[in-house]
Amino acid sequence: MRLGHLALPLAVLAVCAGTDARHRRRRGAPHPATERCVDPSIHVDKSDGVLDLYCGTQRARRFTVTFGANPVGPKVREGDERTPEGTYHLVSHGRTRRFHRFMGISYPNEADLHRARQLGVQRPGFGVGIHGSRGERAWLMRMWIPFAHQFGLIQRWGPTDGCIALSNDDVEELYRHVDVGTPVIISP
């Protein structure tokens, strides 16, 4: 009888593990960075759930990502759990216990502040970034991202409060190539 209670969680884990393996084969195995990216920029496509790292005009790497609990539409106010849309740049670049690696973006920008004023929003939010997850949750993020992509959940829900999250392996690779000032373009 106890095994019956474990059947559903084990089935979900099996599907996730299989999804992750297929996902990694499809996008190619992560490669170690031997050289830093020259003239890096980050391009995020929210509808596809991908983050592209460009080195100059060449796409060097594509990562699958996840967003906040309310992923469709631009961030308007603090607590709406949406990911901003627009042109930003990295304003911080560091190691944290909570997020493994955190790269803060320049939200809100002037366009965001203007939109907030037009809508009468007093607090448009802050502290949005690109990050991994704390150590004890890393396995969950590593499984959630490919699972959400496989089953079309990327546009329905995400585990952040509006940030852009990657697996710790992927955020580590991205982190090595970018620094404060790197442009970040986030598209709907």
Side-chain angles (χ1 to χ4, degrees):
M1 196 66 168
R2 289 182 184 248
L3 290 178
H5 291 16
L6 294 175
L8 182 59
L10 289 174
V12 169
L13 287 174
V15 168
C16 289
T19 302
D20 188 45
R22 285 191 303 274
H23 175 72
R24 288 200 179 277
R25 278 195 302 273
R26 182 173 61 246
R27 69 180 172 132
H31 54 81
T34 55
E35 297 179 16
R36 254 180 93 90
C37 185
V38 176
D39 193 24
S41 62
I42 296 169
H43 300 254
V44 178
D45 184 327
K46 287 174 54 178
S47 62
D48 287 339
V50 296
L51 181 154
D52 292 323
L53 170 64
Y54 278 81
C55 297
T57 59
Q58 295 289 328
R59 184 174 76 191
R61 186 74 163 83
R62 172 166 276 189
F63 303 97
T64 52
V65 297
T66 190
F67 306 105
N70 189 15
V72 178
K75 185 165 193 62
V76 175
R77 63 178 38 91
E78 183 177 348
D80 65 9
E81 298 191 334
R82 289 184 173 169
T83 301
E85 296 172 358
T87 302
Y88 306 94
H89 61 275
L90 293 182
V91 294
S92 66
H93 185 265
R95 299 169 188 257
T96 73
R97 187 169 192 264
R98 181 175 178 198
F99 296 118
H100 184 65
R101 302 291 178 267
F102 186 88
M103 295 159 276
I105 66 168
S106 59
Y107 175 86
N109 63 20
E110 286 301 317
D112 298 317
L113 293 172
H114 179 73
R115 182 174 51 246
R117 280 191 298 273
Q118 285 184 320
L119 296 172
V121 172
Q122 298 295 314
R123 298 173 63 157
F126 62 93
V128 177
I130 302 167
H131 63 75
S133 60
R134 73 178 69 166
E136 67 271 11
R137 294 186 183 163
W139 68 272
L140 186 58
M141 188 68 76
R142 192 171 50 248
M143 291 174 52
W144 166 255
I145 293 172
F147 178 81
H149 280 265
Q150 180 75 23
F151 293 101
L153 302 175
I154 209 70
Q155 288 296 310
R156 303 209 187 287
W157 184 84
T160 79
D161 291 331
C163 291
I164 301 160
L166 297 86
S167 72
N168 284 357
D169 291 339
D170 287 349
V171 80
E172 189 75 41
E173 183 176 344
L174 179 64
Y175 184 88
R176 286 191 303 259
H177 290 287
V178 299
D179 214 337
V180 169
T182 298
V184 179
I185 297 98
I186 306 173
S187 305

